[in-house]
Every structure is written in structure tokens, then in C-alpha cells.
Amino acid sequence: MGAAHLSGAEQVYSGSTPSLPPRGLTVTSTLPPETGASNNRRSAIHLLIGSLVCVGLGQSLLFTVLPPLARTLGLVEWQVGAVFAFSGLMWFVMSPFWGRKSDRWGRKPVVLLGITGYGLSMALLIAVIEANLAGWISLALAFPLMVLVRGIFGLVGSGAFPAAQAYIADRTSRAERTSNIALINAAFGIGVVLGPGLGALLIGAGLLAPLYAVAAIAFFSALMITLFLPENPVTRQQRQERAASRKLSFLDRRILPLAIASVVMSICQSATMQTAAFFTMDLLDLTPESAALKSGIALTISAAASLLVQVVVIRQFGLGPKVLLIWGAAIALSGYVVFLLSESYVPVVLALVLHGVGLGMLRPGLGSAASLTVGPGEQGAAAGLIMATGPVGHVLTPFIIMPLYQIYIFSPYIVTGVLMAGLLVYILVNPTIQAVLGRTHV
């Protein structure tokens, strides 16, 4: 493919290479490191990553607070899962849409819309819960309202992450792509790590006070993006080139195998995250309050391990998709085996750490593989399609995993172990994935 003259940082590399990539596999160059633009680029990426931290904050607090709170409200396990499932369904439907829109409109408007939508969803969810606790509305009304307002996150908030990943892809070379895309996942992980600490600081003001703080942080982040996140206007030539993103779908041979792998990862993640607090409570026979504390600590350690991999290990050792996908699946699989052997708290923590490290490698591995296999005009669409698979697990878990959990508390980890073992084999034998991994050194 010939060089395309794009504005700003986004260019198609046209120099000589040992072997030319196939059609659609286009290289995006970074800004020259010797210019001040490089510092501006780094500042922009840091601002973008910082704005995504609030999503991790909210998720970690919801996963640790909502299960015990649900039993106080009178909700059963499948209803808790349904709150996440509807949002996940909306995310699945809308993430590719917003990814394509970011190719057409530009990255900044879609990121801004997503962060604002997340803040609105969180604020409304808290308001519904508070109204029920105060006796203003019945549980019969509160439950569907919780499902609907949480759905705003999937409907609108789903635009933030694919647009953010495409923003980074626009401004990085192939060599830098994986480590910088890992920062997208690291942003979520930072939020997960900070979430319990924020909760501990604010819980004295009320059970839901930390969630109000998350909503406020989301709105503040939206303001910072509006004021300080730079973006080059989308030129007519770029808009014409990016029109190809409208044709990219799950059935595209470059995307389908990666999307299948991402679906399996999503199911394993959701099954583990949605059952961790219940599993800790039931295995150790804890009170809801004690379970919230212990599961919160375990999930925080797991997130910290995942964060260490994404921020330090991947960048320090220059790990590429090949290592991340193969070893990520193997390490996650070992975590599910440890779950099945758990009889006390420490093995549960170890299992969650292995789960966190494994998925912390798989996510950026899949994201960077998808980014490297498409051209600059399809970055948003590719990111949207891969990220659309993320909530599939949240949609399926309430109807498959949670009923199995009620029958036998170890059954979720039998299912995830089998799925992850299958994913590892799939990565090793699928010709499309192997072709993508074969173009990377690590």
C-alpha cells in the first residue's frame, strides 16, 4: 500500500521493510521523538488514560459493594447479574457503532461522550438505590430501574474505550503499539486498585458515598478532556480513507478469530468477577460485611498484579501479542485450577492474582493484534469490534454461570478452566491468529 499523507501524527509508513504486510495491515508512525510534539503526545495520552481511571473505580466498587448490598435490598444473585447483563448487551451493540463514529468524527468527541455517559449512569444508579433504601420506591420498581440506568453506561459509555484505543493507535508506531494499548487496560486496573481505598475513605459518609464520588470524578474528567485533550481535525482525505471502517465487521477474516478469543476471555473474566464475592462469602461462611472486605482486598491484589504486568512488565520487556496471548491464557488457566483446590482464603487470593495476571496479558495482546492487522482508517472500527465482545460475559453469566453457582459453588471455575484451556489451544492452532503473531518478534 502506498504512503498516505495524513495530518498530524497519523501517517502510513512507506519505507522498506523485510516483508511487506498484507493488504489492510498498515503501519502508523509515531511523532518524531526529537520534537516538542512528542511531549505533547505523551501528555495527551496521559490525560486520556487518567480520564479512563474513573471507570475502573466505579467497577471495582460496584463488584465489591453490590453483592452484599443486594442481599440487604432483597435481590438474589441472578438479579445482580442482570444489572450488569443489560449494560453489557448495550455495550456489545453500541461499541462497534461508536468505534466507527470515531473514525468519522474524530476520537475526542466520542471519548467525551462516553465518559459523560458513564458519569450519568453511575449517578442515576445511586439515586435509584438510595430511593429504595429510603422507602420511596419498592424493590419491584427499583430493580428494573437499576437495570435501565446501568444500561446508559453500555449505550453511551461504550464509546470511550474504542475511541481511546484508536486515539493511541493514531499516534504510535507498530513497535510502540502493544505497550501503549496496554495503558488503556492499565487505566481500568488503576481504578480497580484505587477503588477500595476510596471506598474506605468515604464509606463513613454513607454506603453509597464512594459511588457518588466516582460520578463526580467522571464529570470532572469530561471537563478536562473538553479543555485539554488535543486532536487534529479530520481531513477530507482521512474521512474518505476511514469510510472503509463502515465495512469492517465481526465476519472479517482478520477480526473473527480475535473476536472469538475475546468472547472466551470475557466469559472467564465475568464469571470470576461476579462470583468472587459470593464464593468468598460461602466458602468461608462469612457475613456480608466481612465478605465485602475480604473479597475487596483479594480483588484489589488481583488488579494490582494485572496493573504491574501492563504498566511495567510489558513496557520493560517489550512484550508483543505472541507472548501475551500464549502465556496470558496459560497463567489464567492455572488460576482456575487453584480456585478448584481452594479451601481457605489464601488460595482464593492466589487464584485471583493468577486470573488477574493472565487476563492482564490477554487484553492488550488481543487489542494490539487487532490494531496491527488493520489500516489507520479502520482503527476505531477494529477497536470497537474487539471491545464489543468484552460485555458478552456479563450478558451470559447471570443466565448460565450464576445458576450453576447456586447448584455448586465450584462450577464457575470448572467452566472457566475448560474455556481457557480451549482458548490456549485455539491460539496455538488457529492459522489467522498464528499469521498475525508471526509478524511480531515477541
Side-chain angles (χ1 to χ4, degrees):
M1 176 178 287
H5 300 288
L6 305 182
S7 64
E10 189 180 341
Q11 306 175 0
V12 177
Y13 177 80
S14 60
S16 62
T17 58
S19 59
L20 290 176
R23 182 183 179 184
L25 186 59
T26 310
V27 184
T28 305
S29 71
T30 184
L31 290 171
E34 68 271 15
T35 67
S38 180
N39 291 329
N40 292 337
R41 182 195 60 168
R42 285 195 296 269
S43 297
I45 290 176
H46 291 160
L47 173 62
L48 184 63
I49 296 302
S51 71
L52 299 176
V53 168
C54 66
V55 180
L57 280 171
Q59 292 295 90
S60 67
L61 289 170
L62 279 178
F63 278 127
T64 55
V65 170
L66 196 55
L69 179 63
R71 291 187 174 175
T72 301
L73 295 173
L75 297 174
V76 296
E77 285 87 346
W78 74 264
Q79 290 176 306
V80 175
V83 172
F84 295 105
F86 182 69
S87 176
L89 178 61
M90 291 296 98
W91 185 292
F92 176 78
V93 172
M94 296 304 296
S95 182
F97 171 82
W98 292 122
R100 287 190 291 268
K101 287 300 182 184
S102 78
D103 286 332
R104 303 283 289 173
W105 297 348
R107 315 307 185 191
K108 180 176 177 177
V110 179
V111 172
L112 179 60
L113 183 65
I115 295 296
T116 303
Y118 177 71
L120 178 63
S121 172
M122 182 66 73
L124 291 176
L125 177 65
I126 299 164
V128 171
I129 295 174
E130 291 279 27
N132 176 256
L133 291 174
W136 298 339
I137 60 175
S138 66
L139 184 61
L141 177 59
F143 170 61
L145 285 178
M146 289 170 65
V147 172
L148 289 174
V149 299
R150 177 66 182 172
I152 296 174
F153 173 46
L155 184 67
V156 182
S158 56
F161 279 85
Q165 179 171 313
Y167 186 96
I168 288 176
D170 289 345
R171 291 157 173 80
T172 54
S173 67
R174 282 171 56 84
E176 298 173 304
R177 190 76 50 81
T178 300
S179 62
N180 280 279
I181 287 177
L183 292 177
I184 295 288
N185 298 292
F188 184 89
I190 290 170
V192 171
V193 171
L194 296 178
L198 177 66
L201 288 174
L202 299 179
I203 199 69
L207 184 61
L208 297 178
L211 300 187
Y212 277 113
V214 169
I217 292 171
F219 291 129
F220 177 76
S221 296
L223 177 62
M224 292 297 100
I225 290 171
T226 301
L227 296 177
F228 300 115
L229 185 69
E231 182 170 54
N232 298 319
V234 179
T235 66
R236 177 178 296 181
Q237 183 176 356
Q238 285 177 304
R239 191 172 288 110
Q240 291 172 347
E241 291 170 347
R242 293 176 178 184
S245 71
R246 292 179 293 181
K247 302 176 183 179
L248 198 66
S249 72
F250 285 115
L251 298 180
D252 189 291
R253 63 183 178 84
R254 298 168 294 171
I255 297 296
L256 180 59
L258 297 172
I260 292 172
S262 188
V263 166
V264 173
M265 184 189 70
S266 169
I267 295 172
C268 292
Q269 178 189 28
S270 179
T272 303
M273 294 296 288
Q274 291 191 33
T275 59
F278 290 122
F279 182 76
T280 304
M281 185 186 308
D282 295 332
L283 179 71
L284 305 179
D285 193 23
L286 302 174
T287 64
E289 293 77 12
S290 181
L293 175 62
K294 287 184 175 293
S295 63
I297 292 172
L299 288 170
T300 300
I301 296 173
S302 174
S306 180
L307 183 63
L308 179 65
V309 169
Q310 293 167 348
V311 174
V312 179
V313 176
I314 293 176
R315 299 178 70 85
Q316 183 69 30
F317 295 99
L319 302 182
K322 186 174 183 177
V323 168
L324 295 178
L325 292 181
I326 294 173
W327 281 99
I331 292 171
L333 173 60
S334 70
Y336 305 133
V337 173
V338 174
F339 264 120
L340 297 175
L341 301 175
S342 296
E343 295 181 350
S344 60
Y345 181 59
V346 172
V348 172
V349 176
L350 175 60
L352 284 170
V353 168
L354 293 171
H355 161 84
V357 170
L359 268 62
M361 298 175 74
L362 279 170
R363 287 192 206 98
L366 288 170
S368 61
S371 177
L372 292 171
T373 198
V374 301
E378 299 172 303
Q379 289 296 325
L385 288 168
I386 295 300
M387 291 189 179
T389 63
V392 170
H394 291 299
V395 175
L396 296 179
T397 293
F399 306 105
I400 299 176
I401 301 299
M402 299 310 287
L404 290 175
Y405 178 85
Q406 291 179 308
I407 297 171
Y408 182 51
I409 65 172
F410 288 95
S411 59
Y413 312 113
I414 296 175
V415 173
T416 54
V418 171
L419 287 175
M420 192 57 67
L423 176 58
L424 178 58
V425 173
Y426 185 68
I427 290 170
L428 292 172
V429 304
N430 182 267
T432 301
I433 294 179
Q434 284 300 306
V436 174
L437 301 186
R439 300 185 190 108
T440 62
H441 297 294
V442 290

